[in-house]
């Protein structure tokens, strides 16, 4: 058969995304294309419903091929850039709270939970990507709207706003703790140790200066792909932190300076069970990245579900390794004195050579890491707020004035929040039990069950259905138990004081 001259041969190793000709480009039209108003899927679905999965075939005369290569758009990112952006979304302040979870769980159970939750998070992201591509959605909220309606979309957007704002508040708290010190925990700041007393002793003033000089310019960028280089630098700084922790731990182990660590949890203690309910949401929170998956996919060169899944799997592997290494080495280094923000532990001697220099490298390096991660999380926060308040308006990237106004307002509110919340553990345990679990597990499971239930071609296999239900039930249990546990724990702490 002679091919039309308008088609070109596929380069080896490239990916394609099939799209019907004359396909509506906007989400609203695509939603009407996918689902009829009366809920009858049979007449409106892209793929015929009256055929079996094995018999589904695409008529290539009705589809246009979007080639990954060789004609890539200059603003698109490849797999490395996407991996850096997604890894940066995950590896942030959550890593600093993980060693403290080991103090509660012990090394064995702590490592097991980090690996299991990491794998579940990766599975839920792949589920989300699958249905996001089907719906031609451009954001997390749009996928939720297709599956469960506008009310669910608004609820998911509120979850993203609370989660991301909480994370950014935590970043500012850590920056203040490290650079100015923490009076509550009697830790000295880096600037105080270097320069003595000065205006930098006032953490609110110092954080404000850092926001104006560094965060405002980075957060003003309109495209997430513009942050690929800063994301790569932030990942490198996180790796430096892990390497220093592991190196210091190995030296102390060889010298016999590390006491026997807690290996498991005491299930007979009521306090331990309560601690467990508080800790699991903290670990869950550390893996949430779903709100940035769609923006990263939208700017992926030659995007396809298979290519995005590759990005997700590489990212999951990196994050599990980094988290396990950090949590274990951090807990071994400081034992029962491990703080909820482990960076504050690095103001004292590690008991090895060059301890002072290593402490400065760890603390200053991770502050720089958070400064570079901040705009990546802020990007999805700003996009979500814009979509919630100005739904149906022109894209935010096309309105520079609206983008800058939202950036300024959000940064002011985040700064004010950092002056009120006492520490990162307080923020993580509440957002982890509510918004993080919902975004990472509840909504993806509901999306899969809802769409898979109503479409014969896209129906879930028995294994997929069991996985979705298990993820949903686990998410509900963790959310309810974690929230109750946090409230009870807070009441007990206040009564003890």
């Amino acid at each position: 058969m002679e091919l039309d001259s308008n088609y070109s041969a596929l380069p080896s190793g490239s990916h394609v995304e099939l799209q019907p000709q004359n396909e509506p480009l906007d989400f609203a039209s695509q939603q009407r294309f996918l689902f009829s108003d009366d809920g009858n899927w049979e007449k409106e679905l892209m793929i015929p419903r009256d055929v079996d999965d094995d018999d589904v075939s695409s008529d290539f005369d009705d589809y246009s091929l979007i080639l990954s290569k060789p004609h890539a758009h200059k603003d698109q990112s490849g797999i490395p850039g996407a991996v850096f952006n997604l890894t940066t979304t995950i590896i942030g302040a959550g890593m600093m709270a993980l060693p403290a979870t080991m103090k509660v769980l012990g090394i064995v159970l702590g490592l097991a939970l980090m690996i299991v939750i990491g794998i579940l998070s990766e599975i839920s992201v792949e589920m989300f990507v699958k249905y996001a591509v089907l719906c031609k959605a451009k954001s997390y909220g749009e996928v939720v709207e297709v599956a469960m309606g506008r009310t669910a979309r608004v609820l998911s957007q509120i979850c993203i706003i609370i989660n991301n704002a909480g994370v950014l508040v935590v970043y500012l708290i850590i920056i203040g703790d490290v650079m100015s010190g923490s009076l509550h925990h009697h830790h000295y700041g880096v600037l105080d140790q270097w320069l003595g007393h000065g205006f930098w002793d006032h953490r609110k003033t110092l954080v404000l200066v850092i926001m104006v000089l560094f965060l405002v310019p980075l957060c003003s960028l309109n495209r997430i792909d513009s942050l690929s280089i800063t994301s790569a630098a932030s990942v490198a700084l996180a790796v430096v932190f892990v390497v220093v922790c592991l190196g210091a731990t190995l030296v102390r182990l060889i010298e016999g300076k590390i006491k026997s660590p807690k290996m498991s949890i005491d299930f007979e203690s009521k306090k331990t069970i309560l601690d467990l309910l508080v800790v699991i949401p903290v670990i869950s929170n550390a893996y949430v990245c779903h709100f940035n998956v769609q923006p990263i996919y939208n700017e992926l060169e030659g995007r396809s579900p298979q290519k995005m899944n590759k990005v997700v799997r590489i990212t999951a592997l990196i994050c599990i390794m980094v988290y396990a290494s950090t949590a274990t080495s951090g807990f071994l280094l400081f034992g029962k004195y491990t703080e909820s923000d482990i960076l504050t532990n690095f103001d004292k001697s590690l008991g090895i050579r060059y301890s002072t220099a290593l402490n400065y490298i760890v603390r200053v390096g991770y502050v720089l890491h958070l400064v570079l991660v901040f705009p990546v999380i802020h990007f999805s926060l700003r996009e979500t707020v814009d979509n919630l308040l100005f739904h149906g308006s022109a894209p935010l990237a096309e309105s520079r004035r609206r983008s800058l106004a939202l950036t300024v307002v959000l940064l002011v509110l985040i700064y004010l929040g950092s002056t009120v919340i006492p520490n990162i553990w307080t923020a993580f345990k509440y957002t982890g039990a509510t918004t993080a679990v919902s975004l990472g597990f509840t909504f993806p499971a509901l999306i899969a069950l809802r769409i898979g239930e109503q479409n014969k071609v896209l129906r879930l296999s028995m294994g997929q259905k069991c996985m979705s239900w298990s993820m949903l039930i686990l998410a509900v249990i963790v959310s309810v138990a974690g929230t109750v546990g946090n409230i009870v724990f807070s009441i007990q702490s206040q009564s003890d004081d």
Side-chain angles (χ1 to χ4, degrees):
M1 182 177 72
E2 184 176 350
L3 292 175
D4 192 304
S5 60
N6 291 328
Y7 292 90
S8 58
L10 290 174
S12 176
S14 64
H15 300 268
V16 299
E17 181 178 333
L18 296 180
Q19 292 183 334
Q21 290 179 345
N22 303 321
E23 179 185 352
L25 296 178
D26 61 291
F27 167 70
S29 299
Q30 178 65 17
Q31 189 178 11
R32 290 193 296 271
F33 182 74
L34 281 172
F35 313 114
S36 60
D37 294 335
D38 61 0
N40 184 1
W41 289 50
E42 296 186 19
K43 298 179 181 179
E44 301 290 340
L45 278 172
M46 276 194 304
I47 304 173
R49 186 175 176 184
D50 57 350
V51 294
D52 295 332
D53 291 355
D54 296 337
D55 297 331
V56 174
S57 61
S58 300
D59 184 353
F60 283 89
D61 291 334
D62 295 329
Y63 285 85
S64 59
L65 296 180
I66 300 177
L67 300 183
S68 304
K69 301 173 184 178
H71 307 294
H73 194 280
K74 66 179 181 179
D75 289 330
Q76 292 182 326
S77 64
I79 288 181
V83 169
F84 282 132
N85 278 330
L86 193 58
T87 304
T88 300
T89 303
I90 299 176
I91 299 179
M95 188 167 78
M96 297 298 98
L98 292 180
T101 65
M102 290 287 195
K103 186 167 66 173
V104 177
L105 301 174
I107 290 180
V108 175
L109 183 58
L111 284 176
L113 279 176
M114 284 178 199
I115 294 172
V116 170
I117 293 176
I119 293 173
L120 286 176
S121 181
E122 189 273 332
I123 293 172
S124 70
V125 171
E126 289 196 16
M127 290 167 51
F128 175 79
V129 169
K130 172 184 175 181
Y131 294 107
V133 172
L134 167 69
C135 302
K136 299 298 175 188
K138 298 298 182 183
S139 67
Y140 190 102
E142 289 184 358
V143 187
V144 175
E145 182 176 358
V146 169
M148 293 175 283
R150 291 185 179 180
T151 301
R153 172 181 65 82
V154 172
L155 181 60
S156 70
Q157 289 174 327
I158 292 173
C159 286
I160 293 174
I161 291 170
I162 295 173
N163 182 80
N164 288 23
V167 168
L168 296 181
V169 166
V170 166
Y171 288 2
L172 295 185
I173 292 173
I174 291 178
I175 292 172
D177 284 345
V178 172
M179 303 307 292
S180 292
S182 173
L183 295 177
H184 180 69
H185 293 99
H186 307 291
H187 290 288
Y188 295 102
V190 170
L191 293 178
D192 188 51
Q193 291 177 319
W194 281 354
L195 306 174
H197 296 295
F199 80 91
W200 45 83
D201 290 338
H202 304 282
R203 56 180 297 155
K204 295 179 182 179
T205 304
L206 179 65
V207 170
L208 182 60
V209 170
I210 291 174
M211 286 192 70
V212 173
L213 293 181
F214 300 104
L215 298 181
V216 171
L218 289 173
C219 291
S220 299
L221 297 173
N222 275 347
R223 293 180 59 85
I224 196 168
D225 184 52
S226 304
L227 300 169
S228 293
I229 296 177
T230 59
S231 294
S234 70
V235 172
L237 289 168
V239 170
V240 169
F241 174 82
V242 175
V243 169
V244 171
C245 281
L246 283 175
T249 303
L250 287 174
V251 171
R252 286 175 61 90
L253 278 172
I254 293 172
E255 294 177 352
K257 295 181 179 179
I258 290 182
K259 298 179 180 179
S260 179
K262 178 180 180 179
M263 300 301 294
S264 62
I265 194 171
D266 180 14
F267 287 100
E268 295 181 359
S269 171
K270 291 183 179 180
K271 185 179 184 305
T272 301
I273 301 299
L274 185 61
D275 288 340
L276 181 62
L277 296 178
V278 173
V279 163
I280 292 179
V282 173
I283 299 177
S284 301
N285 189 79
Y287 282 104
V288 172
C289 62
H290 303 63
F291 49 82
N292 256 358
V293 168
Q294 200 57 34
I296 292 171
Y297 176 80
N298 294 339
E299 298 180 16
L300 182 63
E301 177 186 338
R303 64 180 185 263
S304 69
Q306 294 78 12
K307 198 169 187 180
M308 189 63 195
N309 287 344
K310 184 177 181 180
V311 170
V312 173
R313 290 166 188 170
I314 294 173
T315 300
L317 180 61
I318 292 173
C319 293
I320 290 173
M321 292 175 62
V322 169
Y323 280 173
S325 302
T326 302
T328 304
S329 59
F331 176 56
L332 289 176
L333 268 179
F334 303 110
K336 64 180 181 179
Y337 300 106
T338 304
E339 297 284 358
S340 59
D341 175 8
I342 194 175
L343 280 180
T344 57
N345 284 111
F346 282 91
D347 67 337
K348 298 178 178 63
S349 174
L350 300 176
I352 60 175
R353 294 180 64 185
Y354 311 113
S355 176
T356 301
L358 292 175
N359 281 342
Y360 286 137
I361 290 173
V362 165
R363 292 192 288 169
V364 175
Y366 212 80
V367 165
L368 292 175
H369 166 79
L370 294 181
V371 169
L372 297 177
V373 172
F374 193 101
V376 177
I377 307 299
H378 174 269
F379 178 87
S380 59
L381 172 63
R382 184 180 62 194
E383 291 286 321
T384 304
V385 171
D386 178 72
N387 191 268
L388 183 63
L389 298 180
F390 306 103
H391 187 63
S393 301
L396 191 60
E398 298 177 8
S399 178
R400 184 64 176 165
R401 182 178 297 178
R402 193 167 88 237
S403 176
L404 287 175
L406 281 175
T407 298
V408 171
V409 171
L410 290 174
L411 289 180
V412 169
L413 293 176
I414 290 166
Y415 171 75
L416 293 176
S418 70
T419 64
V420 175
I421 297 176
N423 57 64
I424 70 172
W425 193 261
T426 301
F428 275 142
K429 69 183 183 180
Y430 282 105
T431 58
T434 53
T435 58
V437 171
S438 298
L439 294 172
F441 302 104
T442 306
F443 281 119
L446 286 173
I447 290 169
L449 291 169
R450 174 68 174 169
I451 296 180
E453 174 186 288
Q454 299 195 35
N455 184 338
K456 183 179 179 181
V457 173
L458 300 173
R459 68 179 183 268
L460 301 176
S461 66
M462 184 58 66
Q464 291 171 330
K465 187 174 293 187
C466 290
M467 174 60 71
S468 299
W469 274 111
S470 299
M471 193 177 295
L472 179 60
I473 293 171
L474 180 63
V476 172
I477 293 174
V478 169
S479 183
V480 173
T483 302
V484 173
N486 286 330
I487 294 173
V488 173
F489 186 84
S490 298
I491 294 174
Q492 288 186 352
S493 298
Q494 290 178 358
S495 62
D496 290 341
D497 294 338

